[in-house]
Amino acid sequence: MIQISTPTICKPAVILPKYSVTQKEIIEFIKVNFSDTEELPKAIEMISNNQVLKRHFIRPLEEIIFDCGLEKRNSLYIKYARQLAKEAALQAIKNSGLALSEINMVIATSCTGISMPSLTTMLINDLELSATTRQLPISQLGCSAGTAAVNLAVDYCNAHPGNNVLIVNVELCSLLFHPEDTLLSSLISASLFGDAATASVVRGEGGKGFAITATHSFLLSNSEDYIYYKIKDAGFYFRLNKKVMSSIKLVIPEINDFLKKTTQKEPNEMDFYVFHTGGKRILDELVKGLFLQEEDILNSRNSLSENGNLSSAAVFDVLNRLFENEPPLPGQKGLMVAFGPGFSTEISTGFWV
């Protein structure tokens, strides 16, 4: 029997910065500014085939190309992260049908800058939430943090029946661009990630959306070098090991086992899917490994194409598309998955209400 009190992810808010750049513009930019790079032809070929057509940034491209150092980068991060987080949070709370006074916990995910006090503190002050609001800032789970936040929010709601959790995700990936970084993997990453803020409320009771009944975390052993930051005087340098491309097949058995234990279903027997937009190859591997149809991941493909990889914010952009395009029927079962540094996998399953 379906429990009314099942913690439920309500309709997300998705806030995109005003500066939009097409992939064609990025390719021309790389041709002009990285003409002496040995692997330029290979980079152009790979970028042209990564399925990203457009992304949004907090600054125009002509400003992004100048290296401004860690201090300037982080001051920009705090300025824009705070603005976008507040806007996303207000819309998400409105979507949930709750009042500000009914938020009991704030989780904020962001890996593209540093702030102390944390973004959760800023949100509590800016939204004038209760001084007793619980806080959980998450900064080092990368792309998997969005689903990790859902799982932790569900745990909190189950432990505190009737409570509600605001999740806010802010990723300003353009602040990680370094013009002197000409590694092939760096050029590929620079063509993949976009800026955005998303937010959603997990209601302990009475929500409409994706009700979560089971969660799971999995860390692939000895994979710390798959995704990481190299920190230099100029800021964070994103590093992506090509081993990531073959890592999905290693975690597929974990997804299969989790679903069998919690739903008695195979992955391809679920009714809807919310997958992190890790990139074309990642989505290809999920379709192949889970025996899915292309239409099953259309929302993830479209999110990647229109906004790029939004890191921890990505799963909420995908979930929002599910709400807006063709919401599942009540009772239909779904699967949410995201991957991140570690190499870590965060999984949620449940049903639509």
Side-chain angles (χ1 to χ4, degrees):
M1 181 177 179
I2 293 175
Q3 298 289 325
I4 296 176
S5 60
T6 304
T8 300
I9 317 171
C10 300
K11 187 179 188 301
V14 179
I15 308 299
L16 301 171
K18 66 178 182 179
Y19 296 104
S20 176
V21 179
T22 68
Q23 201 72 322
K24 289 183 178 180
E25 292 173 311
I26 293 295
I27 290 174
E28 290 306 311
F29 162 78
I30 290 176
K31 287 180 179 178
V32 171
N33 292 278
F34 295 89
S35 57
D36 296 332
T37 302
E38 183 177 344
E39 295 187 288
L40 179 62
K42 187 174 182 180
I44 296 298
E45 179 184 1
M46 295 179 70
I47 293 170
S48 299
N49 293 297
N50 69 4
Q51 291 190 342
V52 178
L53 299 180
K54 182 181 67 174
R55 289 173 292 158
H56 296 264
F57 299 139
I58 57 171
R59 297 180 294 160
L61 189 58
E62 54 267 26
E63 291 184 20
I64 294 175
I65 63 175
F66 294 105
D67 196 339
C68 55
L70 178 57
E71 181 178 358
K72 178 64 174 178
R73 289 176 190 275
N74 211 61
S75 65
L76 288 168
Y77 167 80
I78 293 173
K79 173 186 176 181
Y80 287 105
R82 187 166 195 164
Q83 291 176 5
L84 294 169
K86 180 180 179 181
E87 185 178 355
L90 286 171
Q91 183 60 56
I93 294 171
K94 181 180 179 181
N95 291 348
S96 73
L98 296 174
L100 290 169
S101 60
E102 295 178 281
I103 299 300
N104 307 103
M105 182 181 190
V106 177
I107 301 177
T109 75
S110 186
C111 65
T112 50
I114 298 173
S115 65
M116 191 172 72
S118 68
L119 192 56
T120 53
T121 297
M122 296 176 187
L123 282 163
I124 290 171
N125 286 326
D126 292 348
L127 300 176
E128 299 182 358
L129 301 180
S130 168
T132 61
T133 303
R134 299 289 184 90
Q135 300 183 59
L136 180 56
I138 302 175
S139 62
Q140 293 161 308
L141 289 180
C143 298
S144 65
T147 303
V150 167
N151 293 349
L152 292 166
V154 168
D155 287 346
Y156 178 81
C157 289
N158 284 331
H160 303 274
N163 280 13
N164 308 294
V165 180
L166 169 66
I167 299 173
V168 179
N169 323 91
V170 183
E171 301 294 6
L172 307 181
C173 303
S174 63
L175 292 174
L176 303 184
F177 176 74
H178 299 273
E180 84 287 359
D181 189 6
T182 59
L183 291 175
L184 176 62
S185 61
S186 298
L187 294 177
I188 300 304
S189 297
S191 71
L192 178 64
F193 291 91
D195 297 350
T198 60
S200 185
V201 172
V202 175
R203 287 187 56 156
E205 294 179 350
K208 302 294 183 183
F210 191 3
I212 304 299
T213 56
T215 65
H216 189 59
S217 299
F218 177 69
L219 179 66
L220 189 65
S221 298
N222 301 316
S223 58
E224 294 176 27
D225 63 335
Y226 285 20
I227 304 170
Y228 65 97
Y229 278 159
K230 189 174 183 63
I231 302 176
K232 302 182 181 181
D233 291 342
F236 302 154
Y237 288 70
F238 182 75
R239 294 293 181 253
L240 185 67
N241 193 311
K242 63 181 181 180
K243 295 177 184 177
V244 170
M245 297 304 117
S246 59
S247 60
I248 302 302
K249 63 183 179 183
L250 300 178
V251 301
I252 290 294
E254 194 71 20
I255 298 174
N256 288 333
D257 290 345
F258 166 70
L259 283 180
K260 286 178 183 178
K261 291 176 182 177
T262 58
T263 69
Q264 293 73 54
K265 288 181 176 289
E266 299 289 341
N268 61 3
E269 294 178 312
M270 304 302 283
D271 300 302
F272 62 92
Y273 304 86
V274 181
F275 290 151
H276 160 63
T277 57
K280 177 183 181 298
R281 176 73 180 275
I282 297 294
L283 293 175
D284 288 347
E285 290 296 319
L286 283 170
V287 170
K288 179 181 178 182
L290 298 177
F291 300 100
L292 305 180
Q293 301 299 315
E294 263 304 314
E295 63 251 31
D296 293 332
I297 64 161
L298 185 59
N299 288 319
S300 292
R301 293 280 194 201
N302 289 340
S303 175
L304 178 65
S305 175
E306 296 169 16
N307 296 326
N309 184 340
L310 301 179
S311 190
S312 70
V315 289
F316 292 95
D317 183 41
V318 176
L319 180 60
N320 186 56
R321 292 167 187 268
L322 193 64
F323 271 92
E324 295 190 344
N325 295 336
E326 191 174 348
L329 298 174
Q332 288 191 312
K333 296 184 180 297
L335 173 67
M336 175 185 284
V337 181
F339 307 102
F343 181 80
S344 59
T345 304
E346 294 287 337
I347 315 170
S348 313
T349 190
F351 58 91
W352 199 261
V353 292

